[in-house]
Amino acid sequence: MMKKALKTKVENALRKIHDPESGQDIISAGMVSGLQVANGRALFAIEVDPARGNEMESLRQQSEQAVKSVRGIKHVTAALTARRTEQSAAAASSAAPSSASSVTSSNGAAHADPHGMEKNPRLSLPIKHIIAVASGKGGVGKSTIAVNLAVALAEAGYKTGLLDADIYGPSAPRMLGLPNEKPDLNDQKQLIPHEAHGLKVMSIGFMIEEEKPMIWRGPMVQSAIYQMLRDVVWGKQDDMLDILVVDMPPGTGDAQLTMAQKVPLSGAVIVSTPQDIALLDARRGLAMFEKVDVPVIGMIENMSTFKCPHCDHESHIFGHGGAKEEAANLHCDFLCEIPLTLDIREQSDAGNPVLAQGAVFKSVAQKVADYLRDKDE
Ligand SMILES: Nc1ncnc2c1ncn2[C@@H]1O[C@H](COP(=O)(O)OP(=O)(O)O)[C@@H](O)[C@H]1O
Ligand SMILES: [Mg+2]
């Protein structure tokens, strides 16, 4: 079937859903945004007044059902996003990001939003600490480090979760040997995270199909990340998760900034390789977290040295020590250097991150845990 015709059918199905407040159908009311239809999959956002967020969940479900009943559609993802008023949209493009202090009450209702940046309120979650693992660019080993750090924290006895929020290249399913399956729902319609290596795991990779790269628009990124925090059973108020490690999307653009703002982060770990270019990116990452008042726990230099498996000779492929110097320049802690080794590569790519560099990750986990404990005191 022609793509366009299918999209029209989806829109027509959505015209049967009415906003209870205005009585208008949600297409005519302009509430549906970012509709994409491809390969039997439909994805869209419903823009609502954030104050009505809770009551709109049933609207979201009705919309999903309506689209699911369209012939040719197999999967539907509908996300609620906060409606952007024209005024706030204009302000958002020029305003500097607001800091953590101007945000929300714990019941999730948004306060006045002079900068138009509070599309979704910051969250109050059953998680003691959320830390981000970030890098200025892809391919530096951010996911490898996020996964191994999380496993090491779990082994050290912390209740630990891993949120793979890298919309451009989710890798937790592969690295932890988990299938790309949508998690089950509990009675409250919350997603139950998968478990592997002692971790609770949620990945954008469980929610989308791997083979087709998605085109993400700002509001969708926000909704997806928001849902993976709010609608996942990470813990309970009386049995909280100790630490959630977030594998951030690489880079320092809008998606990253949004995450850094919306997620109540206790701190960030920045991963870099020793090359100058990567370091420049790392500097940008650091600046980004500073901008949103998230402390940087420290920097990790990955692929630091290469030890030949045959003769044990150590060579410095990308140069060496750059990140350490950079960390000193930037007055930020240097956590560790991780050598380039075949076992890290083979094991993490085979879904079995059993700590090739166990001692190194153990010590990083210790440093991170100490940092968080000091923060609590
Ligand atoms: N220290 C290391 N030694 C060997 N291979 C590594 C190391 N760190 C990462 N890799 C490999 O490099 C590739 C990219 O790493 P990944 O963690 O996916 O990077 P990113 O998340 O930054 O894009 C993967 O194949 C991974 O196994
Ligand atoms: Mg990655």
Side-chain angles (χ1 to χ4, degrees), residues 138-144 175 302-303 338-341 344-345 348-349:
V140 301
K142 177 175 55 63
S143 300
T144 305
M175 288 188 172
N302 189 28
M303 310 192 193
I338 296 170
L340 185 77
T341 64
I344 292 186
R345 216 204 109 79
S348 68
D349 290 350

Side-chain angles (χ1 to χ4, degrees), residues 18-308:
H18 293 263
D19 174 11
E21 196 169 87
S22 68
Q24 249 187 323
D25 77 80
I26 60 174
I27 292 280
S28 309
M31 293 167 74
V32 176
S33 72
L35 173 61
Q36 291 177 50
V37 179
N39 306 309
R41 198 163 259 281
L43 187 140
F44 55 93
I46 305 172
E47 297 187 8
V48 302
D49 176 350
R52 294 170 65 207
N54 288 341
E55 55 186 284
M56 298 312 254
E57 171 57 22
S58 93
L59 191 89
R60 189 191 69 77
Q61 287 176 15
Q62 287 171 42
S63 309
E64 247 181 28
Q65 281 309 321
V67 174
K68 221 174 256 173
S69 65
V70 173
R71 235 181 108 188
I73 297 289
K74 292 196 195 71
H75 303 276
V76 185
T77 307
L80 290 179
T81 67
R83 184 192 284 274
R84 235 176 143 164
T85 63
E86 265 163 44
Q87 193 191 353
S88 69
S93 55
S94 60
S98 56
S99 71
S101 56
S102 71
V103 272
T104 63
S105 58
S106 58
N107 66 9
H111 291 321
D113 177 21
H115 298 300
M117 295 302 288
E118 310 304 342
K119 295 189 66 171
N120 288 315
R122 277 167 69 103
L123 298 161
S124 149
L125 299 163
I127 303 170
K128 288 184 194 154
H129 289 289
I130 305 180
I131 61 168
V133 177
S135 66
K137 62 166 196 168
V140 301
K142 177 175 55 63
S143 300
T144 305
I145 286 170
V147 166
N148 280 281
L149 173 60
V151 172
L153 284 165
E155 287 191 345
Y158 298 97
K159 272 177 264 168
T160 309
L162 177 75
L163 170 55
D164 174 12
D166 187 349
I167 47 174
Y168 307 114
S171 44
R174 174 175 49 86
M175 288 188 172
L176 289 163
L178 286 164
N180 276 330
E181 278 168 11
K182 213 169 168 172
D184 291 334
L185 294 173
N186 70 5
D187 292 342
Q188 284 87 47
K189 297 245 158 65
Q190 284 182 300
L191 295 158
I192 301 165
H194 289 314
E195 298 208 14
H197 300 279
L199 302 174
K200 292 190 169 159
V201 186
M202 185 64 203
S203 170
I204 198 108
F206 300 147
M207 312 301 278
I208 56 175
E209 269 164 42
E210 211 167 10
E211 68 271 21
K212 286 279 160 200
M214 299 223 355
I215 301 158
W216 288 89
R217 292 157 43 111
M220 291 186 196
V221 175
Q222 282 206 17
S223 305
I225 290 169
Y226 213 65
Q227 275 190 12
M228 289 195 298
L229 281 163
R230 187 196 53 195
D231 300 342
V232 171
V233 195
W234 290 113
K236 299 189 194 109
Q237 286 304 338
D238 59 355
D239 181 23
M240 308 237 279
L241 197 69
D242 291 314
I243 303 171
L244 180 67
V245 178
V246 183
D247 184 357
M248 297 269 288
T252 48
D254 281 352
Q256 294 78 5
L257 196 64
T258 299
M259 274 224 58
Q261 276 182 289
K262 295 301 169 195
V263 180
L265 292 171
S266 296
V269 171
I270 295 184
V271 180
S272 179
T273 58
Q275 294 136 299
D276 285 338
I277 300 291
L279 279 173
L280 232 153
D281 290 318
R283 218 170 296 165
R284 272 194 214 113
L286 204 90
M288 177 181 81
F289 286 113
E290 261 169 17
K291 205 152 126 191
V292 292
D293 288 330
V294 172
V296 171
I297 302 173
M299 225 187 252
I300 292 180
E301 181 174 283
N302 189 28
M303 310 192 193
S304 192
T305 57
F306 176 65
K307 210 174 199 176
C308 172

